[in-house]
Amino acid sequence: MYLSVQLSCYPLKDDYKQPIWDLIARLEQTGLEVYPGRMSTEIFGEYDEVMAVLSDTMKWSFETYGKSVFVAKIMEGDRRPR
């Protein structure tokens, strides 16, 4: 099953940009299709892989940078930009 995800991360700290850049860089290293945007990042791939990457990445973010708010929209299907 293919997933399309729109993920936003809001680090709860004054210096919020570096945690976001690092999160995007980590996502880009996973082999999934990743499209960073100004307000969210789109991620595309197979269900099991996407969900594992989201879990691993959010855990890494909490352990590395502390408190953040994540907002994810997850849709079954291929909504990649054409």
Side-chain angles (χ1 to χ4, degrees):
M1 175 185 326
Y2 204 81
L3 285 186
S4 299
V5 177
Q6 184 181 48
L7 182 68
S8 297
C9 175
Y10 304 99
L12 300 178
K13 55 188 342 173
D14 290 336
D15 180 24
Y16 61 90
K17 289 182 182 180
Q18 191 63 51
I20 293 171
W21 292 332
D22 292 346
L23 181 89
I24 291 169
R26 188 173 176 93
L27 288 169
E28 290 176 331
Q29 294 172 359
T30 65
L32 296 173
E33 286 191 60
V34 176
Y35 298 92
R38 293 185 57 78
M39 295 295 292
S40 64
T41 298
E42 295 179 314
I43 305 158
F44 303 94
E46 291 298 323
Y47 181 92
D48 290 334
E49 188 177 0
V50 170
M51 296 306 284
V53 164
L54 289 177
S55 177
D56 178 66
T57 302
M58 288 188 293
K59 183 178 180 182
W60 167 84
S61 176
F62 292 140
E63 291 173 345
T64 304
Y65 292 109
K67 292 183 178 12
S68 292
V69 174
F70 285 90
V71 177
K73 297 177 188 175
I74 302 171
M75 179 181 165
E76 187 276 324
D78 186 352
R79 301 295 298 166
R80 286 179 286 184
R82 305 274 177 219

